[in-house]
Amino acid sequence: MKPILLQGHERSITQIKYNREGDLLFTVAKDTVANVWYSVNGERLGTYNGHTGAVWCVDCDWDTKNVLTGSADNSCRLWDCETGKQLAMLNTSSAVRTCGFDFSGNIIMFSTDKQMGYQCYLNYFDLRDPQQIEDNQPYLTVPCAESKITSAVWGPLGEFVIAGHENGEINQFSAKSGEILKKVKEHSKQINDIQTSVDLTMVITASKDCSSKLFDSTTLDHIKTFKTERPVNSAAISPIMDHVVMGGGQEAMEVTTTSTRIGKFEARFFHAAYEEEFGRVKGHFGPINCVAFHPDGKSYSSGGEDGYTRIHYFDPQYFDFELEA
Amino acid sequence: MNMHDTEDMPPDVDYDEDEPSFSDPEDFVDDIDDEELLGDLLREKPQEADGIDSVIVVDNVPQVGPERLEKLKNVIHKIFSKFGKITNEFYPEGPDGSTKGYIFLEYGAPTQALDAVKNADGYKLDKQHTFRVNVFTDFDKYMNICDEWETPEKQPFKDFGNMRHWMEDPDCRDQYSVIYESGERTAIFNNDPKDPIVAEERARWTETYVRWSPKGTYLATFHQRGIALWGGEKFKQIQRFSHQGVSLIDFSPCERYVVTFSPLMDTKEDPQAIIIWDILTGQKKRGFHCESSAHWPIFKWSHDGKFFARMTQDTLSIYETPSMGLLDKKSLKISGIKDFSWSPGDNIIAFWVPEDKDIPARVTLMQLPSRQEIRVRNLFNVVDCKLHWQRQGDYLCVKVDRTPKGTQGVVTNFEIFRMREKQVPVDVVEMKGDPESKNAFAWEPNGSKFAVLHGESPRINASFYHVKNNGKIELIKMFDKQQANSIFWSPQGQFMVLAGLRSMNGALAFVDTSDCTMMNIAEHYMASDVEWDPTGRYVVTSVSWWSHKVDNAYWLWTFQGRLLQKNNKDRFCQLLWRPRPPTLLPLDAIKAIKKDLKKYSKIFEQKDRLSQSKASKELVDKRRSMMEDYRRYREAALLQHQEQKAARLELRGGVDTDELDSNIDDWEEETIEFFINEEIIPLGE
C-alpha cells in the first residue's frame, strides 16, 4: 500500500485522532500547531492557531463541532472545528497532557502534569454551563498524588475516565465524584497511550515496558497482552477485524544506537485473539508516537517523531489474511 | 628478656596536677604475651648453636690412611668451603687407622648446609667416588618414621552420575549456555531447530561469566572466592577451587587440570597469582607468580596435557605433569623470545626470536621432551610475526610482516610449514596489494585450506588458499569489497562465515569453500559474536549486552545461512556451545555410516516432518482455544453494549451513532474533484 504523506508539522507529532465519521484527521505536534486534514486524500483543511507551546493532545466531539487541544503552554483550548476560531481558553498551572470529550460531547476532561511544584490534577468542565468556562472553574478537580496521569480516555457512557499513570497503573475516576472506582496494575512501566475500541467496550494500553494490553473498559479485566522488544508509544484496535496496531521505538537518546537504515521504524500488527504478530509497515524515519485506525477499519494512520503523518489504505489481501487455526 | 612493669614516675613539678595518670591501675594484669608483642623480633633472636642443623654428612669419601689424610682434608675443604665457612669437621677413623669413608662437616648457618647439599650431592670426585651429601637431621627424620602404617582416611566416592549425559540425547541436540539479565540468570538450553529447550536455569549461578571445559564435561562458574565446576545430568557441583578474586581460568586439553588466575593473592614467599589444580582430587598442585594477565592464558598446554609452558623475559619454562616440575629441572634460555605456541597435534613448540645485530630473526620448531630443534627458518627485515597452527597440527602458518630492504612500506608473507612432510618444507605466499595492519587469518579445521582478510575498509578482500600436496599453495578465490573483520570456520571444515562484527554492523556472509560460493548474505544488526556449534550444523550470531545495550538477542542459523530462530533475551550477555568430546567411533565405522547416509537421511527426515506437524497441530489447537475464549468475551461485551443503547441515544440527543451507516438518510452526496495530473500535448504541425 502506498501511504499518503502529511507534511504539516515542523516537529514531532504528539497525537493524531480521527473524527467519529472518519473523514477528518486531526494532528498535533511539538511545534505548537494543530492541523486538520481530509483523510481521503491528505489535503489540509486548516490549522488551529493560538497555542504557544507544544500541543500534547487533541480530541474532537462526536458531532465534529468542537475541537479540544491541550498544550505545554499551560492551557486547554476549545475551538470551532469548521472555522478554526478559538472558543475558550482554560488556563492551568502546569502543562495539559491529555484531554477528551465525553460520549455526549458536553463534558470535557483534561489532566495536568506534575510540574514546578504543582501536582497532577484531573479536571472536569461541563460545557453546558458557560460560567464554569468563564470563571475557569471546573466542577470537579481530582488530585493525583502518587503517580501522574500520562494518558486518559472516557468510559463508554461518560460515567468515568480511564487513566493510565506513570507507574503503569490504570484507574477509573468517576466523573461525578472523582473517586477511584476501579484500579489495576498490569504494566511495569509508564503507560504511554490508551485508546478505546470503536464501540467503547474495550481499551488498549501502550506501555514503556515493551508491551501492549487489552482491557475491558467497564471491569478493567485484563484480556490480552501483546509483547515486543521496544517500548510501545501507541496502540489502536481495529473497528472491523480482530487486529491491533502498535507503534513505538526507543528513547530519543537511544535512536542512533539501533539500525539507522532509512524508514526502519515500523508499525506492527498483531492478531487480537492469538496475540501473535502478523505484519509490519515500514516508512517512518523515527519512532512512531501515535497510531489510529479509521473508524471504518479500511485504513490507519501513524504520526512519528520525524514530524510526518502517514495515512495507509489497506490492500484487499489485508482483509482476507488469516492465521491458520 | 624481661620488661619492667610500668612504675609511677616521680611527679613532675612543672606538670599540672590535674593531668590524668597514665599508669596502669593497681590490679592490672598484663595479658599480652611476648610472642604477640615482639614475635618478629623473637624469631630473629640469635639461637644457641645446637649444631645439628648446620651439619652435613658426606658419603663415598675415599678411605685413606693417616699419611694422606691431610691431602684429603685439603681437597674436601676446597670443594665444600664454597658454600660457607666450615666451622667444624670430623673424619671418623676405622680400626685400621684409615678414614671410614664418610665425614661430617659443620657450617656457620643451616642455610649454608642446605646449599652444600643442593650443589655438592652427586659431585664426582673421581671415577670411583661420587659424593652423596645429606643434612644430618635428615637421618633423624628417616629413622623416626613411625612403624605403624596408618591407612589414610577413605574419602567416600561421590557419584555424580553420568557425566556425559548430554551426549545421549536421542535427537543429538547440542547444549549451549546463555547468560542474560546482565548476568543475573544463566541457563543451559538444548538446541532444537524449532525452539530452544531449557535444560537448567539458575539465578546468580555465576558472578561474571562461565566457561566450558574443552571436552564439555564441566561448566565453570566464577565467584569472589574462587571457581566452581558443575556437571552431570543435573549440573551438580563437582568441585570447588578456592582462589580469592579469581578473574581468569584455563583448562588443560585433557580436562585433568584447571589453571586459575587472581590478581589479588600474590606474595613473595607464597606465589598465588596463578594456581594449577587437579580437577578430580581438588588439590592445589602448584602456585606461580604472575606480573600481568595481559596475554592469558599465560601457561600454554601441550595437546595431550603432558606439558605446559610459559614465556618470560628471554626464557621459556616448560613443566611436565603430573609432577608440575620443570622439564629437566631447568628453563630454556632463549634470548629475545617473543612468542611461542604448541602444535595442536604433537608435542612440538614453535617460537620466534627477532633480529639481533647480525643474527636474522628466526622461527624454530622444537620437539619435546627431547628439545631437539627439528626446523629453523631464518627471516630477514622482520617487523612482527604471528603463529597460526592448523587444527590438527598438519600445518603451521607464520604471518611475517617485513620491511624489505630499501623500502618504507610493510609487506606481509605467509610462511607455511608442512609438518607432515620430511624435514618440514616451507612454502611462502606473498600477500599482494595494500599493506595491511589488522587482518584476520584462519586455517580450515580438518582441512588444508586457509582464509585471509586483508585490505583497509571499505576495500576489504577475502582470499582463500589451498595448500596442495604437490608443494604448491593455490589461491582458489578472492572476494573483494567485503564487510568483514572476522573469519569463523565450521569446526568440521568446508563451511565458514565471514562476519563484520561490531563497528561493521553485523554483516554476515555464509561461504561454501568446496567451490568458494556465497551461499547467503545476511545481517544481524550490531552482532558482537559468532559461535558455531561443535557439529558444524548451526551458527549463532548474537548481540551482547556487554557491547550494545539495545536489541540483545541471539539468532540461530543453519550452516547454509538460513535463519531459523530469533531469540530475544532481556539483557542477553553471552552464549557458549558445550564442546563435544572427540568421537569414540573408529575411522572405518565413520566410513560405513557415510556410505549408508541415504538410509539414515530418510529416517531422520520422516522424524523431522512428524515433529513439525505435531508442532503446527499444537499451535493450531492453542489458537483455536484462544479464539473461542475471545469470542465468548466479545459476545458478552456486545450484549452489555446492546443493553446500554438507550443511554447512548439519550446522551446524543436521539441520534443513533452505533454504526457508521446508522443514519443513511442524513447523508449528503457530494462530488469532489481532485487534481491528479497535468499533461501538455502540443497540437501537431
Side-chain angles (χ1 to χ4, degrees), chain B residues 244-297:
Chain B
Q244 193 77 10
V246 63
S247 57
L248 296 165
I249 66 168
D250 189 33
F251 283 92
S252 71
C254 49
E255 288 190 345
R256 271 204 69 187
Y257 305 101
V258 66
V259 186
T260 57
F261 167 78
S262 165
L264 297 180
M265 298 279 293
D266 214 8
T267 54
K268 245 197 157 348
E269 293 84 47
D270 190 13
Q272 292 273 346
I274 296 182
I275 303 180
I276 303 187
W277 310 82
D278 182 310
I279 291 182
L280 286 175
T281 62
Q283 277 184 330
K284 188 191 298 193
K285 293 298 255 182
R286 188 157 171 181
F288 292 93
H289 277 305
C290 180
E291 282 78 49
S292 101
S293 60
H295 298 286
W296 186 259

Side-chain angles (χ1 to χ4, degrees), chain B residues 661-668:
Chain B
D661 50 3
S662 305
N663 303 304
I664 271 186
D665 305 327
D666 280 350
W667 284 17
E668 291 168 17

